[in-house]
Amino acid sequence: MILIVGGDSLIGSNLSKYWSNENIQFHASTKHLDKVTTDRPLCDLTNKVTFNSLDQYDSAVICAAITNITKCENNPIETRKINVDGTIDLIEKLSSVGTFIIYLSTNLVFEGKHPMQKPNANRKPNIEYGRQKAD
């Protein structure tokens, strides 16, 4: 079974719609207690306890993050707790039980001077969100 972490996010919700239309079996996590169901497990990147029920997935696509550039610039400590610390904690937990991880990145890990960077190009982010994704 595949898990979409961040099923309420823009990418996560669209991936959920696509996979539903393609009849691909998956679960999509939510951080909202009122949205939790058997197909919508709770996963809050600020609370490691919520990771305990996620150990039965073969693969996980990590779509959860605070992507608002202004919010990251204005609140780097708060957003880093989710975008870096919580994400790393979740990936470590899932990896420890053998879950294959797909982690989405962003072109903002590069400085933006050259288009179409290769995956192994040097990262040189110049905004906080890019630094957090690179970390």
Side-chain angles (χ1 to χ4, degrees):
M1 178 67 72
I2 305 168
L3 175 65
I4 298 171
V5 177
D8 300 316
S9 69
L10 180 63
I11 292 173
S13 62
N14 281 295
L15 183 57
S16 294
K17 288 175 192 171
Y18 177 76
W19 281 356
S20 291
N21 289 337
E22 296 295 315
N23 295 315
I24 296 171
Q25 291 190 343
F26 69 95
H27 290 167
S29 76
T30 182
K31 65 178 180 177
H32 305 287
L33 282 172
D34 61 328
K35 293 184 177 181
V36 173
T37 67
T38 55
D39 296 356
R40 303 284 318 245
L42 182 64
C43 181
D44 181 347
L45 293 176
T46 64
N47 184 354
K48 288 186 195 182
V49 173
T50 66
F51 305 167
N52 292 335
S53 65
L54 306 177
D55 58 2
Q56 75 270 17
Y57 296 98
D58 301 312
S59 302
V61 181
I62 311 295
C63 299
I66 297 175
T67 60
N68 183 294
I69 292 169
T70 303
K71 187 169 187 173
C72 289
E73 291 296 328
N74 293 337
N75 303 289
I77 294 170
E78 172 193 339
T79 57
R80 180 167 287 274
K81 286 178 184 173
I82 293 168
N83 291 346
V84 179
D85 302 335
T87 300
I88 289 171
D89 290 343
L90 175 63
I91 289 171
E92 287 175 348
K93 167 67 174 171
L94 293 175
S95 294
S96 75
V97 296
T99 304
F100 180 79
I101 306 297
I102 300 168
Y103 180 67
L104 305 179
S105 191
T106 174
N107 64 333
L108 296 174
V109 300
F110 305 112
E111 67 182 328
K113 291 184 179 180
H114 307 285
M116 306 302 291
Q117 291 289 315
K118 303 269 189 239
N120 62 345
N122 289 333
R123 289 174 283 193
K124 192 175 179 184
N126 53 20
I127 63 170
E128 183 61 25
Y129 177 67
R131 287 188 287 276
Q132 291 176 8
K133 289 298 277 190
D135 288 348

